[in-house]
């Protein structure tokens, strides 16, 4: 037989699309050509495959060899096709049985010795293989990651020779190391405790509301008041991820250059890029599109400290993911979609020196300088931040070691989960994700409450989006109180979260 077909997959964003590795042996001068839009790493695989075959004791066919990666118009990258190309050569030259490759998919990079090395994207590949009822063979280094796909039959091996020995018969193949499904729960190791935060009762309350409803949060205050400390405690009180959310988040990490850390399985991500990060670093990009910080924070928290220090053009790229929960990266060769449903938490000083509005340290900035500083964050972006609060300096008495501690993350998280479950029962998602129709149905107000909203709209020039987001926050506060309706106190508290920059930190001429 001079023709073989081996099943594999290429990555397009977080999707693993099928690729048929077709190998044909023909007469003529010995050569090996790879067609089907291979990028540099794929074109170089012919040298790795030749050395791996010879060092594993196989014959490299002295024929004219053509390897086609179909579909031909899909760009292929990485070393993931080394293993299927090697198996295709062996099957086409009758050194292994071609029938042993049916209904199985293969990924893996080959060392020159024939050992198998890890590749990116094992988890989305396993999920895709399971959807079509095929088993998947991966290197040992990808085994635990691929096993997170619950219903996929995953096998792992350490070398090309080991795999070929098991492909000799169906019975031998079943003896290949099958990786058990990993169904571990969220790890609490390394989670920071909210009890470490002294005082800051309003900020702690806002953190609980944000965690319950999935709302974006802005912390404004002088340096050293605990803004970063508060933000880092948010992941510890967020409700647990569903299995679907966990797989989505893990799949994004799987295709990133850093790979998936199994020890963080089912833990919500927390990303805190430096303010020198570029727009591409935030949203992703590259010749072969890779996820950025926004996608790596999918189903978790994106914390932006020193908010106005980010270039305005960089911050404005956040508008699309905050609104749609998705990022589309378009390049000349291809387009990739990455999930990006994040909870944005930002922290900023009210002015360049940091002390405007502080009751201890005088501010050294003039009104124009303060206005320019605050205007670095655009109005449309601030409009998408549901909760905006002040974080003030705390008294020394609260910093003493014998001072009474606040509630722990475990206590607050129990309340968050109870209120979050009410949202799931009502609309199947967090309040922050309510559609306009759902806001109309589930955020019904009394007549006097409508009058308060109208007065707030006039006084603070709130947009229609801001009004809708205020209603969502009010609904979350009602859920925490286990109230079936939005009451006056709930709406007043929600309105107070929209006025921090507009009322407390407006420059005085």
């Amino acid at each position: 037989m001079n023709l073989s077909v081996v099943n594999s997959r290429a990555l397009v964003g977080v999707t693993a699309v099928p690729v048929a590795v077709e190998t044909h042996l023909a007469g003529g001068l010995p050569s090996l050509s790879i067609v089907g839009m291979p990028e540099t790493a794929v074109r170089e695989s012919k040298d790795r495959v030749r050395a791996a075959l010879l060092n594993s004791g196989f014959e490299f066919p002295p024929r004219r060899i053509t390897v086609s990666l179909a579909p031909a118009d899909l760009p292929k990258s990485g070393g993931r096709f080394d293993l299927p190309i090697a198996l295709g050569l062996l099957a086409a030259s009758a050194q292994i049985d071609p029938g042993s490759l049916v209904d199985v998919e293969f990924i893996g990079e080959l060392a020159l010795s024939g050992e198998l090395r890890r590749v990116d994207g094992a988890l989305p590949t396993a999920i895709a293989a399971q959807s079509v009822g095929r088993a998947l063979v991966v290197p040992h280094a990808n085994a635990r990651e691929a096993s997170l796909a619950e219903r996929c039959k995953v096998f792992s091996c350490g070398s090309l020779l080991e795999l070929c020995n098991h492909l000799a018969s169906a019975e031998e193949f079943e003896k290949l190391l099958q990786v058990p499904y990993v169904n571990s729960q969220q790890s609490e190791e390394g989670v920071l405790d909210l009890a470490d935060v002294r005082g800051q009762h309003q900020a702690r309350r806002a953190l609980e509301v944000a965690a319950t409803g999935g709302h974006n949060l802005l912390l404004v205050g002088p340096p050293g008041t605990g803004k970063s400390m508060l933000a880092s405690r948010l992941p510890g009180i967020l409700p647990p991820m569903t299995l679907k959310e966990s797989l989505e988040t893990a799949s994004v990490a799987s295709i990133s250059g850093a790979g998936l850390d199994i020890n963080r399985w089912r833990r919500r991500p927390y990303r805190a890029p430096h303010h020198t990060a570029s727009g591409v670093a935030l949203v992703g990009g590259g010749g072969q599109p890779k996820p950025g910080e926004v996608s790596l924070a999918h189903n978790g928290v994106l914390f932006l400290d020193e908010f106005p220090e980010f270039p305005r053009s960089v911050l404005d790229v956040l508008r699309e993911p905050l609104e749609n929960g998705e990022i589309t990266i378009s390049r000349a060769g291809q387009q990739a979609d990455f999930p990006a449903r994040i909870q944005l938490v930002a922290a900023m000083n009210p002015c360049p020196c940091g002390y405007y509005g502080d009751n201890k340290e005088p501010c050294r900035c003039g009104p124009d300088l303060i206005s320019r500083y605050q205007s670095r964050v655009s109005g449309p972006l601030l409009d998408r931040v549901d909760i905006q609060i002040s974080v003030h300096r705390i008294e020394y008495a609260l910093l003493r070691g014998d001072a009474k501690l606040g509630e722990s993350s475990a206590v607050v998280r129990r309340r968050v989960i109870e209120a979050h479950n009410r949202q799931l029962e009502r609309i199947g998602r967090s309040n922050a994700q309510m559609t306009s129709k759902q806001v109309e149905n589930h955020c019904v107000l009394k007549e006097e409450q409508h009058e308060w909203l109208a007065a707030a709209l006039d006084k603070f020039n709130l947009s229609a989006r801001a009004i809708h987001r205020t209603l969502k926050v009010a609904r979350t506060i009602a859920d925490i109180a286990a109230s079936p309706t939005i009451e006056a106190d709930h709406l007043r508290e929600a309105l107070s979260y929209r006025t921090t920059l507009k009322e407390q930190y407006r420059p005085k001429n």
Side-chain angles (χ1 to χ4, degrees), residues 68-325:
S68 175
L69 307 177
D73 59 350
L74 177 71
K76 321 295 189 308
S77 62
R80 61 193 295 111
F81 299 107
D82 289 5
L83 178 59
I85 289 174
L87 293 174
L89 281 169
L90 294 175
S93 59
Q95 297 181 68
I96 62 172
D97 178 16
S100 64
L101 307 178
V102 178
D103 293 330
V104 184
E105 297 186 4
F106 302 87
I107 57 170
E109 180 181 326
L110 284 171
L112 300 185
S113 63
E115 298 295 312
L116 282 173
R117 293 173 173 160
R118 74 169 298 278
V119 294
D120 290 340
L123 178 55
T125 302
I127 294 172
Q130 178 272 320
S131 68
V132 295
R134 290 179 181 152
L136 176 66
V137 175
V138 299
H140 282 325
N142 288 117
R144 289 191 65 198
E145 177 185 327
S147 71
L148 297 177
E150 180 177 2
R151 293 183 295 277
C152 183
K153 196 172 186 180
V154 178
F155 298 92
S156 74
C157 59
S159 68
L160 176 63
L161 181 60
E162 176 192 350
L163 175 59
C164 291
N165 288 336
H166 284 285
L167 290 174
S169 66
E171 292 77 14
E172 285 296 320
F173 183 72
E174 289 299 327
K175 294 178 183 178
L176 194 65
L177 180 61
Q178 184 170 357
V179 187
Y181 168 57
V182 176
N183 188 25
S184 57
Q185 297 301 309
Q186 176 182 343
S187 168
E188 299 297 332
E189 184 180 352
V191 176
L192 300 175
D193 198 336
L194 193 58
D196 298 333
V197 178
R198 305 299 180 95
Q200 303 296 5
H201 302 296
Q202 183 192 22
R204 289 172 60 101
R205 168 66 174 180
L207 212 65
E208 181 177 342
V209 174
T212 303
H215 303 289
N216 301 322
L217 173 66
L218 174 63
L219 305 168
V220 186
T225 51
K227 301 185 293 296
S228 299
M229 189 178 189
L230 283 160
S232 65
R233 268 68 183 170
L234 179 57
I237 63 173
L238 290 173
M241 287 199 288
T242 64
L243 180 59
K244 180 176 181 291
E245 289 175 331
S246 300
L247 289 173
E248 289 175 353
T249 301
S251 292
V252 176
S254 176
I255 66 171
S256 68
L260 171 64
D261 181 0
I262 296 295
N263 295 323
R264 298 189 62 83
W265 166 242
R266 304 206 79 164
R267 188 189 296 183
R268 293 190 183 273
Y270 178 82
R271 307 290 299 189
H274 192 261
H275 60 76
T276 57
S278 66
V280 172
L282 277 186
V283 302
Q288 283 292 321
K290 289 286 187 180
E293 292 290 340
V294 178
S295 294
L296 292 171
H298 179 58
N299 290 320
V301 176
L302 178 68
F303 176 52
L304 301 183
D305 200 5
E306 305 296 343
F307 202 32
E309 300 297 337
F310 284 82
R312 183 163 177 166
S313 59
V314 172
L315 291 179
D316 283 344
V317 302
L318 295 173
R319 293 192 206 174
E320 179 188 348
L322 288 178
E323 201 68 32
N324 304 324

Side-chain angles (χ1 to χ4, degrees), residues 445 449 452-453 470 474 486-495:
L445 302 180
Q449 294 169 341
W452 295 341
L453 267 184
T470 299
I486 296 175
E487 301 300 332
D489 289 344
H490 308 149
L491 184 60
R492 275 196 291 264
E493 182 178 351
L495 279 170

Side-chain angles (χ1 to χ4, degrees), residues 19-32:
V19 171
V21 180
E22 302 169 336
T23 305
H24 179 251
L25 306 184
L29 294 175
S31 65
L32 194 161

